[in-house]
Amino acid sequence: QWSWDQKPASLSCVAHSVPVAAVTWWVGGQQIGRQILDKNFKIRGLGPESELFILPVSDRYYGTYECRAENKHGTAVHPLQLAVARPPGQIRQVVVEKVTATNLHFRFVPPEDTGGVSIDSYIAEYKEARQSWEEARRRYWFHGPDGSFELGDLEAWTSYDIRFGCSNQVGYSPWGEDLQITLPKPGPPDSPMLYVDNVDVITMEEVIVLDNCTVELSWETAGDNGAAVDYYQLEYARVEDTDPSQTIMDTGQEDNHTVLIISAEQPHTWTIQSLPPHSTVQVWLTAHNKIGFSEESSVLVATPEVSSSPASVLNLTQTSSSTSSFSHHSVLTISAFIILTLIFVDFASYKTFHAGFLFKSLNLAVISAYKRIRKRRSGQTVRGQTRRQESLK
């Protein structure tokens, strides 16, 4: 157990025995609470669990304590250490792994003396060479999974003074030796990291065999190297043969070579569909900024054969025909239902309100026809009576 700056500490002990053992605490051969009466010690629990609380107001409280468990069968002693923690020692080495126009990538070699407790963070204090350390800025890093760190947002073609340190719960280490690093001029961006189906192509085989004729691509943003990336250029072309060792066909042919320009503001994903079956396709991706193009990231993908047996074609045709017939029948049924519903609504409106469109018009037409028929019959009757009267005369 560790403590510092009079920070309270506790030591715990559990005795496993039958019958239950009594637990006492000892230091320097004397029992705490009997020979040693000190308000800076407090004991909670006398067995089988017990805890000793210590307020280390001076260095004499640091050392080895004993937890003694005793029952009628005997005594067991377990020593516990309370030590004073310190700030960590100086970082042994800083390994610079990569320098770009605006970023530094490096690793730390931890100090030999961690101060008794684990390192919490690493620190960089940095400034431009013409500035004083009072104007310096700080950057903190916590432990990463790969142990590498990055210092970014620096000015291209500028000299920096940098010093490194670390910290634990107690405090900060002394600063290490100053480094002076001059960053280069802006240049083309770094090569983007390309993925196929969300898997890094670096970890894949030489040729990736696809399940179908579609490939889903994605990529990580490339380091801009001092000039912002404005677009990505995605290209793909069919290899001359399914053997990837064959030479790629002339990429100037429009039917073989496709070039796409994708803005850096768009999502970094793209799906290539309808690739030719049973073929090998090469994909290239480059990043661009105002300085130029990055080195390309590329991958070879192979598409499977497409089955074209007569049974498959027949089944597909039958399914399409059935679907078409079903759709035609459904349209006729729905149309008939709508027409019948409109007729019913129109009839109900006519019977209730003497309104409507179909039945009102039909009723008016019937009445008009009936009146014309009656008028015609009346005219025929009058003419017949006139003829009879003339014949009698």
Side-chain angles (χ1 to χ4, degrees):
Q1 185 61 268
W2 299 89
S3 179
W4 62 93
D5 295 337
Q6 301 185 11
K7 180 180 178 181
S10 65
L11 305 176
S12 60
C13 184
V14 179
H16 300 281
S17 63
V18 178
V20 174
V23 176
T24 56
W25 291 92
W26 298 69
V27 62
Q30 295 182 308
Q31 183 179 349
I32 298 173
R34 178 165 292 185
Q35 285 93 358
I36 299 177
L37 300 175
D38 190 331
K39 64 180 180 179
N40 294 316
F41 292 122
K42 289 185 179 180
I43 298 174
R44 182 174 66 186
L46 300 176
E49 298 180 2
S50 182
E51 191 169 10
L52 173 63
F53 295 91
I54 308 168
L55 182 63
V57 294
S58 65
D59 290 344
R60 71 182 182 87
Y61 289 91
Y62 295 101
T64 302
Y65 292 79
E66 290 183 352
C67 170
R68 294 188 183 184
E70 184 176 3
N71 64 11
K72 65 181 182 180
H73 298 293
T75 302
V77 178
H78 180 70
L80 294 99
Q81 187 78 19
L82 178 63
V84 57
R86 307 170 305 281
Q90 184 175 308
I91 290 178
R92 285 181 287 173
Q93 188 179 6
V94 177
V95 180
V96 179
E97 297 182 321
K98 182 180 179 181
V99 179
T100 69
T102 56
N103 295 72
L104 290 174
H105 300 259
F106 45 84
R107 292 176 182 268
F108 295 114
V109 178
E112 293 183 359
D113 179 15
T114 64
V117 291
S118 60
I119 299 296
D120 285 342
S121 64
Y122 291 96
I123 310 153
E125 193 170 65
Y126 60 100
K127 65 180 183 65
E128 294 184 14
R130 57 185 175 80
Q131 295 176 320
S132 66
W133 283 111
E134 286 73 19
E135 301 175 87
R137 290 175 287 173
R138 281 192 181 187
R139 172 73 187 274
Y140 293 81
W141 296 274
F142 301 97
H143 283 290
D146 58 354
S148 62
F149 304 88
E150 178 182 356
L151 181 62
D153 297 327
L154 303 175
E155 293 292 332
W157 209 17
T158 303
S159 294
Y160 283 91
D161 293 328
I162 309 173
R163 57 188 183 185
F164 298 92
C166 58
S167 68
N168 61 16
Q169 298 177 58
V170 182
Y172 294 93
S173 72
W175 292 111
E177 294 183 2
D178 295 357
L179 296 178
Q180 187 170 91
I181 298 176
T182 300
L183 303 182
K185 294 180 181 181
D190 295 335
S191 178
M193 183 69 72
L194 184 60
Y195 296 84
V196 174
D197 295 333
N198 295 321
V199 179
D200 181 1
V201 298
I202 295 178
T203 63
M204 294 184 174
E205 301 295 333
E206 183 178 354
V207 180
I208 302 169
V209 180
L210 303 176
D211 295 330
N212 49 48
C213 294
T214 299
V215 58
E216 294 183 2
L217 303 171
S218 59
W219 58 91
E220 287 185 3
T221 303
D224 60 23
N225 212 2
V229 175
D230 48 13
Y231 67 84
Y232 294 89
Q233 182 169 293
L234 178 66
E235 304 175 63
Y236 58 95
R238 183 177 178 179
V239 176
E240 184 174 6
D241 199 276
T242 53
D243 181 1
S245 63
Q246 297 292 325
T247 304
I248 295 178
M249 293 177 63
D250 179 12
T251 56
Q253 299 178 15
E254 294 184 0
D255 58 345
N256 181 59
H257 190 183
T258 301
V259 180
L260 301 169
I261 302 299
I262 303 171
S263 171
E265 298 178 356
Q266 292 181 236
H268 296 166
T269 59
W270 197 269
T271 301
I272 304 175
Q273 299 178 332
S274 303
L275 292 173
H278 193 46
S279 63
T280 302
V281 176
Q282 184 157 17
V283 180
W284 301 268
L285 180 69
T286 54
H288 179 271
N289 64 12
K290 66 180 181 180
I291 309 299
F293 283 97
S294 70
E295 294 184 3
E296 63 186 25
S297 298
S298 66
V299 64
L300 283 169
V301 295
T303 56
E305 292 188 60
V306 176
S307 175
S308 58
S309 62
S312 299
V313 175
L314 177 61
N315 291 338
L316 179 60
T317 304
Q318 289 176 344
T319 303
S320 300
S321 176
S322 301
T323 304
S324 177
S325 300
F326 174 75
S327 300
H328 182 67
H329 179 70
S330 299
V331 170
L332 292 177
T333 302
I334 294 172
S335 300
F337 176 78
I338 292 173
I339 292 172
L340 290 174
T341 302
L342 292 174
I343 291 174
F344 175 78
V345 171
D346 190 76
F347 178 75
S349 177
Y350 174 74
K351 294 294 291 183
T352 305
F353 305 105
H354 296 287
F357 177 76
L358 180 62
F359 281 93
K360 184 176 180 180
S361 301
L362 182 61
N363 184 61
L364 293 175
V366 171
I367 293 173
S368 299
Y370 177 73
K371 289 181 177 180
R372 286 197 296 271
I373 293 171
R374 288 190 60 185
K375 186 175 181 180
R376 188 178 302 157
R377 288 180 177 176
S378 299
Q380 291 177 353
T381 303
V382 171
R383 285 195 295 271
Q385 291 177 353
T386 304
R387 290 184 185 135
R388 290 193 195 98
Q389 290 176 358
E390 291 177 353
S391 61
L392 290 175
K393 292 178 179 180

